[in-house]
Amino acid sequence: MDKRYTDALPLTRSSPEKQETICIFGTGDFGRSLGLKMLQCGYSVVFGSRNPRMSNLVTSGAEVLSYSEAAQRSDIIILAIHREHYDFLRELTEVLNGKTLVDVSNNVKINQYPESNAEHLARLMPGAHVVKAFNTISAWALQSGALDASRQLYHGTKYRRFPSWLDHWMLCRKQLGLIALGFAFLHVLYTLVIPIRYYVRWRSRNITVIQVMTKKENPFSTSSAWLSDSYVSLGILGFFLFVLLGITSLPSVSNMVTWREFRFVQSKLGYLTLILCTAHTLVYGGKRFLSPSVLRWYLPSAYILALIIPCTVLVIKFILIMPCIDKTLMRIRQGWERNTKFSKSVNGKSDI
């Protein structure tokens, strides 16, 4: 684990006496994020994992044990695992009797099962006290983009860290997004002041004078009109959604929306914003993209270079949402691993 996680400032002042131990079943994105916050608040955290030796991404300062050993260390157990993997709890019935089980899971689809996950868990573990909590809090998994998905598909597991430089960059994405929003504001302001620039007014007057003296006028171009109006419309829509993304990223706003609403805005509308802004630049270029006249010194224009990264991201995202790839990626995020020789459950049988 990187030292920056262990050196994080605590959220509250540490008390002289060490607080109680919290047990978290699952070392995935949500479990690790929640464990880090618990440690920052002064709690002692122990993780329960099917593969304690393979769980090398947890926060420094927390222990990783088997499910049975971790459950014996605490009376409060947070289940940061998917409903599909609840069956192993049957073998821990005696250990979990009388303990508080906190269900944090959310289903992929609404009304996916006839009863809620907490009801299913209560029926599965009648001797435990089941409560529902933390399921509306966005975790690190909500910040995983197309790059993270590509890494998971390549390695066949979600328990593989980014390189240190890339991991540091991923943690700065919110700040980079706000910087991009600031540049978008500057772009809008600059566009609005273009008509009052001296060069633009001088050029417009000269064209008008020349047309009067030669008694000629430029014919109305329908294609140019469509391109111009589409360019402006796409820019306005993209900028509006960009502002919406910036507003919802504020803690005062994000704390007022549900987990599904926050995910919809930041993920679905985020990619829609990227598509609109990319299309805005593509329409601006129009037929000039392949025109030799714009290749000064045999170099492409700035707006062509600006399209390289967004177009690459959109192509990767399009590949990842294909049903055959999306299904495999979803299984990986729910705990499946390609290397099955390390995927052993508590009873020695292979998972999934």
Side-chain angles (χ1 to χ4, degrees), residues 75-129:
D75 292 330
I76 301 177
I77 301 173
I78 300 175
L79 297 180
I81 56 178
H82 290 272
R83 173 175 174 156
E84 292 80 2
H85 308 316
Y86 280 175
D87 291 338
F88 80 93
L89 295 173
R90 298 179 187 274
E91 303 177 11
L92 303 175
T93 301
E94 296 183 2
V95 179
L96 298 180
N97 279 342
K99 296 182 182 289
T100 301
L101 303 182
V102 183
D103 176 40
V104 303
S105 62
N106 284 312
N107 294 323
V108 179
K109 301 178 181 178
I110 299 177
N111 299 326
Q112 186 174 359
Y113 300 101
E115 74 281 341
S116 67
N117 292 353
E119 292 173 333
H120 172 70
L121 182 61
R123 188 176 294 109
L124 188 66
M125 306 297 298
H129 308 288

Side-chain angles (χ1 to χ4, degrees), residues 150-222:
S150 304
R151 174 180 60 90
Q152 292 175 2
L153 284 171
Y154 177 77
H155 294 293
T157 176
K158 62 181 179 179
Y159 304 114
R160 190 69 176 265
R161 180 171 298 285
F162 284 116
S164 57
W165 64 269
L166 185 57
D167 194 23
H168 186 270
W169 176 83
M170 296 288 283
L171 293 173
C172 298
R173 282 179 295 170
K174 179 178 178 179
Q175 289 77 4
L176 293 175
L178 294 177
I179 292 175
L181 180 59
F183 279 113
F185 270 104
L186 292 178
H187 174 68
V188 171
L189 292 175
Y190 182 77
T191 304
L192 293 177
V193 302
I194 284 178
I196 63 175
R197 291 177 57 200
Y198 173 78
Y199 169 76
V200 175
R201 290 185 287 112
W202 171 82
R203 187 169 181 270
S204 177
R205 287 197 302 265
N206 276 7
I207 293 176
T208 303
V209 171
I210 292 174
Q211 288 178 348
V212 172
M213 295 177 61
T214 59
K215 297 182 180 180
K216 293 181 179 180
E217 63 179 359
N218 295 327
F220 180 80
S221 176
T222 305

Side-chain angles (χ1 to χ4, degrees), residues 43-309:
Y43 289 94
S44 176
V45 177
V46 58
F47 285 93
S49 173
R50 59 183 175 181
N51 301 311
R53 292 180 299 175
M54 298 297 296
S55 303
N56 57 355
L57 300 182
V58 298
T59 306
S60 179
E63 295 185 75
V64 184
L65 305 172
S66 65
Y67 289 126
S68 178
E69 294 174 334
Q72 297 175 8
R73 300 280 293 273
S74 175
D75 292 330
I76 301 177
I77 301 173
I78 300 175
L79 297 180
I81 56 178
H82 290 272
R83 173 175 174 156
E84 292 80 2
H85 308 316
Y86 280 175
D87 291 338
F88 80 93
L89 295 173
R90 298 179 187 274
E91 303 177 11
L92 303 175
T93 301
E94 296 183 2
V95 179
L96 298 180
N97 279 342
K99 296 182 182 289
T100 301
L101 303 182
V102 183
D103 176 40
V104 303
S105 62
N106 284 312
N107 294 323
V108 179
K109 301 178 181 178
I110 299 177
N111 299 326
Q112 186 174 359
Y113 300 101
E115 74 281 341
S116 67
N117 292 353
E119 292 173 333
H120 172 70
L121 182 61
R123 188 176 294 109
L124 188 66
M125 306 297 298
H129 308 288
V130 178
V131 296
K132 190 77 174 181
F134 302 119
N135 63 306
T136 59
I137 299 177
S138 60
W140 176 254
L142 294 179
Q143 303 179 29
S144 300
L147 188 60
D148 190 22
S150 304
R151 174 180 60 90
Q152 292 175 2
L153 284 171
Y154 177 77
H155 294 293
T157 176
K158 62 181 179 179
Y159 304 114
R160 190 69 176 265
R161 180 171 298 285
F162 284 116
S164 57
W165 64 269
L166 185 57
D167 194 23
H168 186 270
W169 176 83
M170 296 288 283
L171 293 173
C172 298
R173 282 179 295 170
K174 179 178 178 179
Q175 289 77 4
L176 293 175
L178 294 177
I179 292 175
L181 180 59
F183 279 113
F185 270 104
L186 292 178
H187 174 68
V188 171
L189 292 175
Y190 182 77
T191 304
L192 293 177
V193 302
I194 284 178
I196 63 175
R197 291 177 57 200
Y198 173 78
Y199 169 76
V200 175
R201 290 185 287 112
W202 171 82
R203 187 169 181 270
S204 177
R205 287 197 302 265
N206 276 7
I207 293 176
T208 303
V209 171
I210 292 174
Q211 288 178 348
V212 172
M213 295 177 61
T214 59
K215 297 182 180 180
K216 293 181 179 180
E217 63 179 359
N218 295 327
F220 180 80
S221 176
T222 305
S223 60
S224 298
W226 274 103
L227 287 175
S228 177
D229 292 349
S230 300
Y231 159 74
V232 175
S233 300
L234 291 170
I236 293 175
L237 291 175
F239 180 70
F240 170 76
L241 293 180
F242 213 152
V243 174
L244 181 62
L245 290 173
I247 293 176
T248 54
S249 67
L250 298 175
S252 59
V253 178
S254 60
N255 292 336
M256 299 297 295
V257 298
T258 64
W259 173 80
R260 293 185 184 276
E261 292 171 343
F262 182 83
R263 183 178 182 181
F264 173 79
V265 173
Q266 293 294 324
S267 180
K268 301 300 188 298
L269 291 186
Y271 280 108
L272 179 58
T273 303
L274 182 60
I275 291 174
L276 291 175
C277 293
T278 304
H280 169 70
T281 308
L282 287 171
V283 173
Y284 172 78
K287 300 178 181 179
R288 293 179 293 177
F289 278 107
L290 301 178
S291 176
S293 61
V294 301
L295 300 178
R296 300 178 181 178
W297 299 292
Y298 301 99
L299 294 176
S301 301
Y303 60 84
I304 298 179
L305 297 176
L307 288 173
I308 296 177
I309 294 179

Side-chain angles (χ1 to χ4, degrees), residues 318-335:
F318 176 77
I319 295 175
L320 293 176
I321 63 176
M322 296 178 64
C324 57
I325 298 180
D326 182 68
K327 184 178 179 180
T328 302
L329 182 59
M330 183 59 66
R331 292 177 63 196
I332 293 174
R333 287 174 173 169
Q334 291 179 347

